[in-house]
Structures are given as structure tokens and as C-alpha cells.
Amino acid sequence: VNIITLTTDFGNGDIYVGVMKGVILSINPNATIVDITHDISPHNIKEGAFLLNDFYRYFPKGSIHLVVVDPGVGSERKGILIESDGYFFVGPDNGIFTYPIKKGLKKIIELSNKSYYLNEISSTFHGRDIFAPVAAHLSLGIEPDKFGNEIKEYKILNFDPEISENGINGEIIHIDKFGNLITDIKKEFMVNKDFEILIKDIKIDNISESYFEGKEKEILAIFGSSGWLELSVNMGNAADIIDAKVGDRVLVRWKK
Amino acid sequence: VNIITLTTDFGNGDIYVGVMKGVILSINPNATIVDITHDISPHNIKEGAFLLNDFYRYFPKGSIHLVVVDPGVGSERKGILIESDGYFFVGPDNGIFTYPIKKGLKKIIELSNKSYYLNEISSTFHGRDIFAPVAAHLSLGIEPDKFGNEIKEYKILNFDPEISENGINGEIIHIDKFGNLITDIKKEFMVNKDFEILIKDIKIDNISESYFEGKEKEILAIFGSSGWLELSVNMGNAADIIDAKVGDRVLVRWKK
Amino acid sequence: VNIITLTTDFGNGDIYVGVMKGVILSINPNATIVDITHDISPHNIKEGAFLLNDFYRYFPKGSIHLVVVDPGVGSERKGILIESDGYFFVGPDNGIFTYPIKKGLKKIIELSNKSYYLNEISSTFHGRDIFAPVAAHLSLGIEPDKFGNEIKEYKILNFDPEISENGINGEIIHIDKFGNLITDIKKEFMVNKDFEILIKDIKIDNISESYFEGKEKEILAIFGSSGWLELSVNMGNAADIIDAKVGDRVLVRWKK
């Protein structure tokens, strides 16, 4: 497999992503490069981690997922290569790979071998100088161990909402183009059948099966296609209707 | 040919498109996936149908055009595979494929064979669960008939403007990044040589050959690169200058 | 090498880019098409020229860079194919290729041979009708000379800031998604060690090594990853903080 996916907060309006593609193709002209998104909110590691978790397993085993949301570029944070859950991940050691690491970690390599870097290393663009060339060499079949030494300490973050005997204290992680509000509340957290979901001054006490069930402008709760609780409006924009934004609280309260 | 084009209203800021690419490459790692646009206005079937009509013929015969503008996902609307005009089309049966269907229909298959779906089917994301895997299998050379039974009833929509003895009652279908206003008025509808075009309080009575003919801030009428009547401003943004939006009326009045 | 990169001001919300990809793949189904960006400011040749200069060298030698920022489409401006600095460039003769031309020009061909055009030529979309098919044929190995005659007169522009004995009179060329302000001031222009940089009412008298050095909301001067002077804020958006826009002046004043 020589698939390399790209996920960044670089936007589509700049050349940063194009430059990374050039670096990759210069090393492996046969790499299949796949854009996931470049519109992660700037420096938002939590959003990036969530989105990564939602897409990576849909690719063939052995695919390389290159993720650059890297507020610490130029500081002492490490660059890493992860082998986990049947995939490779390349990027900064800042918690963005928390989900795949938890899923079945094989090993994490610190990217210390400079022979796989570009010749000149900037302090501002390791996506180009380190991560892209490492991913490209990896796609050529070079063994992970060649890129540096295995490390046992690395950053993982806890993104789960607080769950108590009263309910779940969640939040909006991401808002999609349709205005659907994606929360950090997983189906498996909804252990109690009787509940009410509270967002702003709205209460919802059942889960819909499809957007189609909703009346005009009615906020529905639904488990989205990746298993997260979403708040949506049939044919409408939930974010606009209730003026919601990333970070707003979403509470689930168990009813006795 | 193993080209699969993707056209959706999913936006570039989400992982939905990336997930579809992963599903396709898991089934056919050699597929050539081509992004057309993911910025169709949400649920706007008419805009999607127009844009599809304008690009699909530029691809090699046999290419597969996957289009997901799907407000009815989760309802009873069918998923279909169309063979028409030398191409394949995969997506929802909601009228979005009206133009290629009218152009030279060979057959339409209802996507009822679940062995070409993903194992688990959500109610919100058939692009991932049904359309992407069907397109990928089709690109491997599987016969259209394998995906389900041929159907003779399917949705086509009439997008043409009303044409009377007085003229044409058209509208703005799409506004591009330059602010060009693309209408639903085709060159072939302009049967009368003497006309005036009315939009807002502006009258135009000739068709320009190129943007270059216009004076500063002057609204030009021009047949765009796909044959639709466009209203444009040389080096300027027509949408901003006359504050136009999708759906605004554009009238053509025959002069006697 | 059969890599063709695409850089335009067409945006991602339209089908223009998708159509060009279809035209290319119809001629060379094995072309590797790489999107750089389609969000060059409309008709902004200077911004396009800067961005091109910053990415083209990262691709394998022999790659074809197709650039369409083309306010003069439909006028008498020529279409050209350039061989320079080990790469090919295809697009309008309007100065957008100034940097690679200056870098090591081998030859420039005027695209006069219509057998490499599409059959029908519009006056509004030479990206589709001329540049895409030429690039595709070129990627098949057709000799540059086949596309037309060599020309010795072509457009190059001077984008350098004015440099005097007092300092440099630069400007903001481009603002990226993080709000970094990229200027037209190159590292090599900063010949004097004692300087102050002035933008709006802010003075900066040293160059930082990384974003990480900055305090909250402090404007840093840094040489960006491509060597241009940038003004940035650690974990913040410089453009928002000082309300800067493309075209704003950035002065460097030598201190005695």
C-alpha cells in the first residue's frame, strides 16, 4: 500500500499542502496522496484528534496518515511515527494521535534520523521538512525502526466528557457544513434509556433514526454516521437556528 | 477506465469526502479519484444538476460520476446506478441526474444488492455506505446488472425556464468565485435576434464575445464556457455590484 | 514524470477545475494531477507569481506547472509553454511566470499549434480549451517545439520592493489561514544588521527564530518557510490583531 492521507489546519488557500505533495512525489512518485481536510480549526488538537478518529479506519490497512496540527512547531515537541491498529501515523507528538494510540499500539518511533529529513530544516514548517519526507520514505517500504528510536513516553490526551451518576457533561466538538453539531458524546456513554439532552434552552428526550423525522426547524438528536451524538435539523442548519458554536456545553441528564 | 469523480455538498472542512475516498481505495486501490467540487449549496439539487451537466462530458467515456446531494437520505428514496451518454452515474434518485438521463439513457439500476454495500448501513451517510462502495466495485469491472434490478420509473426534473412568446423567464442558478451570474438560459433558447435582458433595474441588449469588451463596472451578457447565459463584469464582481443572489429572476424580452 | 500541478484563481466551489482535470485525463489517463491552490485572489497576478515561486521547486524535475490567473482571457495576450529551471510551465503570458523565467530560462514557446487545443475554443476559458490539453499532451512526452514557435518577447514583471539607502519599502503580498502576513521582503534584501520594521504603528527590531518565542498577541518578525519576511503572532492571528490586509505597506528602516 502506498496511500498517504493528508490532514492539516493549513487551509486550501495556501501552497503549504501543495509543497508537501511535491516533497512526497519527489521521493515516491507512485504515492497515492489523498486530501482529507485542511480546514481543521487553527491549532485545534482536539478537533483534529476527533476527525482523525472518524476517518482513519476507512482506509486500507497499512495506509499512512500524515496529520499536521502543530502549534508547537519550533519548540521541543517531538516528531513521531506511530504503528497502531494496522496503520501508520506521522506528525507531531502533541496528543493528536490519542485515539489510534489507544486502539492497539504497536510502537512509537521518535523521528530523530535526519537522513530522512529535507536537507534544510525550518523552524516553522516541519510538515514539509520532516513529516512529508518521512511519510514518503515510509511509503517506499523503509522500516519504521530506521527513522529513529522507539519511545515509551508520548503525549495522549483525555477528550472524553465527564460522566457522573447524574448524566454526561459534553460539548460541541465540530460543526459541519450543514450546521450539524457534533458532540463528544458516544453512543456507548448513553447507558441509561431514560434521559434528556439539554443544549441552550432546548430539551430533547429521544434519539431519531434519521434527519427525515424532524419537523421544520426542530432540533433532533441523532447518532451521526461515526457514532457521536449530533444535534441536527431536517433540511435546516442547527448551528444557525440555536446560534451554537464549538465548545458549547451539551448535557445529558438521566431521568429516574 | 477506473476514474471516479466526486461531487457533493459536503464541503471541504469535514472528513465525509475523505471517508468516501478511503472506502473506494479499500475496494479498488487503483481507482483514480477526482474531486470536482464539494461546495454545492446544501441540498440544492438544481444547482448540482446544472453543474453536473456542465462537467461530466469532459471526462473519458466510461468514467463513473458519483454525486451526493441527498436531502432525502434516510427516507424511501432509492439509490441508483445510471448508464447514459457513455458514462456511469451513481447516487440518489432525486432528479440530480436529470440531464445525463435525458441525453441518451441506456439503463437505470436500483442499488438493491446489499453485498456491494458496506456491512453496516447508517441512515445518514449513504455516500459512504452505499454509493462509494458501489462506484468502487463498478470501477473494478463488475457488471451494472449485478447491483440490482433495472427500473423504469425514476425521478427527472424540469429545470428549464418558462419560455413564452414574449420572452424567457429565467433565474440565476449559480454564482462563481468571480461573481459571474450563471443563469438557466441556454443559447438555443435565444431564438429571437432582438431582445433585451433584464436583471434588477439593468437592461442589456447585446451579447458580448469576451469579458474584455466591458467598461469598468459595466454588466455584460455573455455565453459562458458551458453555453449558459452569464452576466459578468470585466475585472469586477457582478454579484457584488448589483447585489445578486442565486434565485434572482433574469428576464429576456423579445423586441418586435 | 507525468505530474501536472494546477494553480488557479477559480475557487473550489465551481466545476472549472474539475473540467480541466477531465480534459487532462481524457488525453493522458495516467497523468498525476496535483491541486496546489485554487484560491489565488481573483486576477491577482502578483500573488500568483509569489506563490508559484514558493512551491514549484519542491516537485520532481520535469513536472508541469499549469497556472491560470488570467484576467486577459479573450484579449490578445498569448498562451505560452516555458521550459526553465528544469520544469515546464503552461499558462498565459502575463507575468505570472516571472520568477521561474528569471531562474534559468531555456525557451518559451507560443501555443499557436491548434491541433493541441480542444476542438472548440471559447473566449472565456482557455484553461480548459488550451492550457489543460497542452499540458496533457506535454505529459505524454510530446516535444515542446511541436506546440508552436519559440518567442523572444514575453512579459516579465518586477515584483521586488523598492530598496534605498534608508531601507526597504515593502508590502503584504499574501495572508495565510493563520493570519500570518507574508511580505515581498526577502532575507537577502536585509543587508543591514541594525533595522526596524514598521507596520501600521508597530516597530519590531529583531527577527525571531520561531513563532514560539512570542508573547501573547505580540507581533513577531520571522523569515517564513520560503524565505520571505513574515509578521506573525504565536498562537494568534496577526492579520486580525493589527487589522492588516494584502497591499498594506511594510517598511524596513536601517539604523545608523
Side-chain angles (χ1 to χ4, degrees), chain A:
Chain A
V1 176
N2 53 7
I3 292 171
I4 299 174
T5 78
L6 303 182
T7 306
T8 74
D9 58 359
F10 294 162
N12 291 301
D14 279 287
I15 58 160
Y16 304 133
V17 175
V19 163
M20 288 173 63
K21 293 175 181 174
V23 169
I24 291 169
L25 292 169
S26 295
I27 294 166
N28 182 1
N30 296 314
T32 297
I33 299 173
V34 182
D35 291 303
I36 305 297
T37 180
H38 302 292
D39 285 337
I40 307 285
S41 309
H43 308 314
N44 191 331
I45 293 170
K46 183 169 182 176
E47 188 185 24
F50 264 72
L51 295 179
L52 173 63
N53 184 46
D54 281 357
F55 80 77
Y56 81 84
R57 269 182 234 96
Y58 288 97
F59 281 81
K61 291 280 174 176
S63 294
I64 299 163
H65 298 297
L66 180 44
V67 185
V68 193
V69 179
D70 194 11
V73 66
S75 74
E76 286 304 301
R77 72 102 189 88
K78 297 178 179 106
I80 52 176
L81 185 172
I82 300 164
E83 218 178 326
S84 189
D85 200 18
Y87 297 91
F88 297 101
F89 302 86
V90 175
D93 177 31
N94 61 16
I96 194 134
F97 299 113
T98 293
Y99 287 111
I101 288 175
K102 283 183 178 171
K103 201 76 186 183
L105 181 62
K106 200 166 153 196
K107 68 168 75 156
I108 299 185
I109 303 290
E110 181 179 355
L111 302 174
S112 52
N113 186 344
K114 295 186 180 178
S115 52
Y116 297 110
Y117 294 7
L118 289 198
N119 287 332
E120 226 177 304
I121 306 302
S122 72
S123 57
T124 56
F125 193 6
H126 289 185
R128 175 191 65 189
D129 303 332
I130 300 178
F131 304 136
V134 162
H137 282 106
L138 187 64
S139 76
L140 287 171
I142 289 170
E143 290 297 318
D145 289 336
K146 303 285 188 189
F147 295 92
N149 297 318
E150 189 171 352
I151 55 175
K152 296 294 186 185
E153 290 195 23
Y154 42 81
K155 197 145 183 184
I156 61 171
L157 297 171
N158 179 18
F159 298 123
D160 285 343
E162 195 191 323
I163 304 180
S164 71
E165 56 179 14
N166 296 318
I168 305 169
N169 184 4
E171 68 174 316
I172 299 172
I173 296 304
H174 177 69
I175 298 178
D176 74 10
K177 189 193 162 203
F178 300 92
N180 297 316
L181 313 174
I182 293 102
T183 74
D184 54 1
I185 299 170
K186 280 219 135 173
K187 201 169 180 172
E188 65 202 63
F189 301 156
M190 301 285 283
V191 290
N192 200 319
K193 270 188 186 166
D194 283 337
F195 56 81
E196 55 186 15
I197 298 162
L198 294 94
I199 176 162
K200 304 239 166 179
D201 51 356
I202 292 167
K203 290 184 193 178
I204 306 160
D205 60 7
N206 71 315
I207 304 287
S208 298
E209 284 302 310
S210 87
Y211 301 133
F212 214 65
E213 294 177 16
K215 303 193 198 73
E216 207 187 331
K217 298 203 174 185
E218 184 192 3
I219 306 284
L220 301 177
I222 196 166
F223 287 113
S225 51
S226 300
W228 306 103
L229 184 72
E230 291 184 21
L231 303 169
S232 304
V233 170
N234 183 25
M235 298 290 293
N237 187 306
D240 287 351
I241 289 172
I242 63 169
D243 191 24
K245 53 190 188 314
V246 168
D248 283 353
R249 307 314 309 174
V250 179
L251 306 180
V252 178
R253 210 150 53 190
W254 309 134
K255 290 187 198 167
K256 300 296 142 72

Side-chain angles (χ1 to χ4, degrees), chain C:
Chain C
V1 176
N2 55 5
I3 292 170
I4 299 174
T5 78
L6 303 183
T7 305
T8 74
D9 58 359
F10 293 162
N12 290 301
D14 278 287
I15 59 162
Y16 304 133
V17 175
V19 164
M20 289 173 63
K21 293 174 181 176
V23 169
I24 291 170
L25 291 169
S26 294
I27 294 166
N28 182 2
N30 296 313
T32 297
I33 300 173
V34 182
D35 291 302
I36 304 298
T37 180
H38 303 292
D39 286 336
I40 306 284
S41 308
H43 307 313
N44 190 331
I45 292 170
K46 182 169 182 176
E47 188 185 24
F50 264 72
L51 293 180
L52 172 63
N53 184 45
D54 281 356
F55 79 77
Y56 81 83
R57 270 181 233 97
Y58 288 98
F59 281 81
K61 291 279 174 177
S63 294
I64 299 163
H65 298 296
L66 179 44
V67 185
V68 192
V69 178
D70 194 10
V73 66
S75 75
E76 288 303 302
R77 71 101 191 88
K78 297 179 180 108
I80 52 176
L81 185 172
I82 300 164
E83 220 179 326
S84 189
D85 199 18
Y87 297 91
F88 298 101
F89 301 86
V90 175
D93 177 30
N94 62 15
I96 193 131
F97 299 113
T98 293
Y99 287 110
I101 288 174
K102 282 184 178 172
K103 201 76 187 184
L105 180 63
K106 201 166 152 196
K107 68 168 77 155
I108 299 184
I109 304 290
E110 181 178 355
L111 301 174
S112 53
N113 185 346
K114 295 186 180 177
S115 52
Y116 296 110
Y117 294 7
L118 290 199
N119 288 332
E120 224 176 304
I121 306 302
S122 72
S123 56
T124 57
F125 193 5
H126 289 185
R128 175 191 65 189
D129 303 332
I130 300 177
F131 304 136
V134 163
H137 282 106
L138 187 64
S139 76
L140 288 171
I142 289 169
E143 289 297 318
D145 290 336
K146 302 284 188 188
F147 295 92
N149 297 319
E150 190 172 352
I151 56 175
K152 297 293 186 185
E153 290 197 23
Y154 43 81
K155 197 145 182 182
I156 60 171
L157 297 172
N158 180 19
F159 299 123
D160 286 343
E162 195 191 324
I163 304 179
S164 71
E165 55 178 16
N166 296 317
I168 306 170
N169 184 5
E171 68 175 314
I172 299 173
I173 296 305
H174 177 69
I175 298 179
D176 73 13
K177 190 194 160 203
F178 300 92
N180 296 316
L181 313 173
I182 292 101
T183 74
D184 55 1
I185 299 170
K186 280 220 134 171
K187 200 169 184 173
E188 65 202 62
F189 300 156
M190 302 286 282
V191 291
N192 200 319
K193 271 187 186 165
D194 284 336
F195 56 82
E196 56 187 12
I197 298 164
L198 295 95
I199 176 160
K200 304 238 168 183
D201 50 357
I202 291 167
K203 290 185 192 176
I204 306 160
D205 60 7
N206 71 315
I207 303 287
S208 299
E209 284 302 311
S210 87
Y211 300 135
F212 214 66
E213 294 176 16
K215 302 195 198 73
E216 209 188 329
K217 300 204 173 185
E218 184 192 2
I219 306 283
L220 301 177
I222 195 166
F223 285 112
S225 50
S226 300
W228 306 102
L229 184 72
E230 292 182 22
L231 303 168
S232 305
V233 171
N234 183 26
M235 298 291 292
N237 187 306
D240 287 350
I241 288 171
I242 63 170
D243 191 26
K245 50 188 193 313
V246 168
D248 283 353
R249 307 313 309 175
V250 179
L251 305 181
V252 178
R253 211 152 49 190
W254 309 134
K255 292 187 197 166
K256 299 297 142 73

Side-chain angles (χ1 to χ4, degrees), chain B residues 109-121:
Chain B
I109 304 288
E110 181 179 355
L111 301 174
S112 53
N113 185 345
K114 295 186 180 177
S115 52
Y116 297 110
Y117 294 8
L118 289 199
N119 287 332
E120 227 177 302
I121 306 302

